[in-house]
Amino acid sequence: MAPLSAAFPAFARPNRSLRVASPEALHLSPPHLVGSELEMLRLSLESGWLAPAGPGLTAFEGALAEVMQIPHALATASGTAALHLAFRLLGVVPGDEVWAPTLTFVASVAPAVQMGARPRFLDVDPASWTLDPWLLRDELHAAARRGRLPRCVVSADLYGQPADIAAIGAACAEWGVPLLSDSACALGAEQHGLPAGHGARLVALSFNGNKIITAGGGGALLAEEPGLIAQARALATQAKEPAPHYQHETTGFNYAMSSLLAAVGQAQLPSLPARVVARRAIFERYREALGHLPGISFMPEPGWARSSRWLSVMLVDPRAFGADREQLRRALAEQGIESRPVWKPLHLQPAFRDAPAVGGAVAAGLFERGLCLPSGSAMGPAEQARVISLLRWLHRR
Ligand SMILES: *Cc1c(COP(=O)(O)O)cnc(C)c1O
């Protein structure tokens, strides 16, 4: 057989920026192959199931359910698709309020906003950088007095740090408000000895290329209640009613995961515990090497949490350090080292200029001073030393 590069010349000249690893550039969180992906893909192709269905997909969903200790899982085309399905299951309709922490990725609320919901953004707890449960409790009391409770609360994990689902869930349960956990970035993390997101009514995950485990894209939705996932599965496959012809009581989506992606995900998933250990070791190396420098501190980890440290995040106090976060980011970029500011809070985004915010100063301060450093689990100590020595040198200047 002719090599693939003969039929597709693009394969012969891979774009550097798209390759898994290039010698000089150091990326934030590039995909890390385990080695069995190709074999799993071959098995998947040979099985003939080239569809969003089949035994491989079912096996991947089973493995996810086991890892998350949540009995029912649906693999989806993306994490955002899983969140969209979740909002639909929770009955979000135009005019509803949907509450979320202001410090998260836009996808935590974007599908709800597209459904006509109005977001309300709450500040995060400085001890975890995730949704402040006490602020949430007070706001829910105030909303109940106004007679306007949210349709749902979204709690989002942050850079591998789990949110405190026990406290957030208790605040929601007081008023019967359902909780959705956007755990897209925290697979492998634990809160109160349970997987991130565990205890929420619905939990969304992502297998995008930059996550701790990737399928080359994709996501998942998990729930304790079997009915919820059965409903999600129907909605994800165009809401077809059981009939020989196509019968629809409602309209759905084409949101199921491809079985080919599930094969890649299945190859990757067993390495999750090792990947968490590797990311935590990277974080510790940064902290040991840089944490004592004036003006530098690192993302905290509360006693009830075991972060996956998906990304290592550092705070820079410009007065004590002598340079600000943006100067450091640019100096790293000049050496081919990718870093990125902490999420710009959603209440500061022009897209949500009309959305009410409850507090927000904690999140705004983290955005101003926070920098995410290269954290890929394939990064070796020598590569990490490039980042560390450059940051040390910038401090001495
Ligand atoms: C990655 C991520 C998403 C989106 O997942 P996709 O699979 O890229 O759609 C949503 N929320 C958070 C917090 C994420 O980190």
Side-chain angles (χ1 to χ4, degrees), residues 146-164:
R146 288 196 304 271
R148 190 145 173 42
L149 284 163
R151 174 67 60 187
C152 65
V153 167
V154 183
S155 147
D157 302 332
L158 189 81
Y159 301 128
Q161 177 99 282
D164 187 350

Side-chain angles (χ1 to χ4, degrees), residues 42-51 259:
R42 193 179 63 77
L43 290 171
S44 176
L45 284 165
E46 285 176 358
S47 79
W49 288 94
L50 298 184
S259 55

Side-chain angles (χ1 to χ4, degrees), residues 157-179:
D157 302 332
L158 189 81
Y159 301 128
Q161 177 99 282
D164 187 350
I165 297 294
I168 292 167
C172 290
E174 224 182 301
W175 303 102
V177 174
L179 176 62

Side-chain angles (χ1 to χ4, degrees), residues 39 47 77 119 176 207 213 235 382 392:
E39 178 63 8
S47 79
F207 303 102
I213 290 294
L235 284 169
R392 280 199 182 134

Side-chain angles (χ1 to χ4, degrees), residues 13-383:
R13 292 176 278 100
N15 180 336
R16 283 207 168 283
S17 66
L18 295 180
R19 292 202 324 199
V20 167
S22 72
E24 56 295 311
L26 199 45
H27 292 290
L28 208 58
S29 181
H32 182 183
L33 298 183
V34 298
S36 54
E37 286 88 352
L38 216 49
E39 178 63 8
M40 291 299 273
L41 270 172
R42 193 179 63 77
L43 290 171
S44 176
L45 284 165
E46 285 176 358
S47 79
W49 288 94
L50 298 184
L57 197 61
T58 306
F60 181 54
E61 289 176 343
L64 281 176
E66 199 170 314
V67 166
M68 292 294 290
Q69 299 175 42
I70 300 176
H72 305 283
L74 169 74
T76 59
S78 70
T80 309
L83 289 160
H84 196 176
L85 288 167
F87 289 123
R88 182 73 184 266
L89 293 174
L90 296 174
V92 170
V93 291
D96 276 351
E97 279 199 19
V98 166
W99 293 10
T102 185
L103 195 63
T104 183
F105 183 49
V106 66
S108 297
V109 295
V113 171
Q114 287 150 7
M115 294 164 82
R118 298 183 333 153
R120 179 182 290 262
F121 297 117
L122 280 71
D123 209 349
V124 294
D125 179 352
S128 67
W129 303 9
T130 54
L131 180 60
D132 184 333
W134 316 116
L135 188 63
L136 172 68
R137 195 187 58 172
D138 291 348
E139 269 308 290
L140 284 171
H141 275 263
R145 277 197 302 275
R146 288 196 304 271
R148 190 145 173 42
L149 284 163
R151 174 67 60 187
C152 65
V153 167
V154 183
S155 147
D157 302 332
L158 189 81
Y159 301 128
Q161 177 99 282
D164 187 350
I165 297 294
I168 292 167
C172 290
E174 224 182 301
W175 303 102
V177 174
L179 176 62
L180 161 61
S181 178
D182 177 354
S183 295
C185 69
L187 182 62
E190 288 176 3
Q191 36 95 26
H192 303 285
L194 291 165
H198 195 285
R201 183 110 183 263
L202 288 155
V203 184
L205 300 177
S206 167
F207 303 102
N208 189 22
N210 63 352
K211 301 299 201 272
I212 194 164
I213 290 294
T214 184
L221 188 65
L222 295 103
E224 296 283 338
E225 298 163 56
L228 281 176
I229 295 304
Q231 223 183 315
R233 196 177 295 283
L235 284 169
T237 50
Q238 309 283 16
K240 296 179 209 122
E241 297 297 323
H245 60 278
Y246 280 167
Q247 176 79 14
H248 306 280
E249 306 284 336
T250 181
T251 59
F253 311 96
N254 183 1
Y255 272 178
M257 180 185 269
S258 155
S259 55
L260 293 182
L261 295 190
V264 177
Q266 228 189 322
Q268 288 246 319
L269 197 55
S271 68
L272 179 62
R275 294 290 158 86
V276 173
V277 168
R279 298 234 180 200
R280 288 181 64 89
I282 286 167
F283 178 90
E284 285 310 325
R285 281 203 289 272
Y286 278 129
R287 186 158 62 181
E288 273 164 30
L290 303 167
H292 62 280
L293 296 179
I296 296 294
S297 58
F298 282 84
M299 189 174 187
E301 183 181 51
W304 47 264
R306 184 173 187 267
S307 172
S308 70
R309 299 295 191 195
W310 171 52
L311 295 185
S312 289
V313 190
M314 176 178 96
L315 290 180
V316 187
D317 175 350
R319 253 169 290 178
F321 187 77
D324 65 15
R325 178 264 280 158
E326 202 45 27
Q327 286 169 308
L328 296 194
R329 193 191 63 75
R330 272 190 256 115
L332 290 168
E334 273 167 26
Q335 301 300 314
I337 299 169
E338 185 187 19
S339 64
R340 191 164 294 173
V342 160
W343 306 125
K344 179 172 180 174
L346 297 181
H347 76 278
L348 300 177
Q349 298 285 0
F352 305 121
R353 67 174 73 76
D354 300 327
V358 184
V362 177
L366 295 172
F367 167 57
E368 222 165 273
R369 294 183 294 134
L371 191 64
C372 303
L373 300 171
S375 309
S377 46
M379 179 172 63
E383 287 175 289

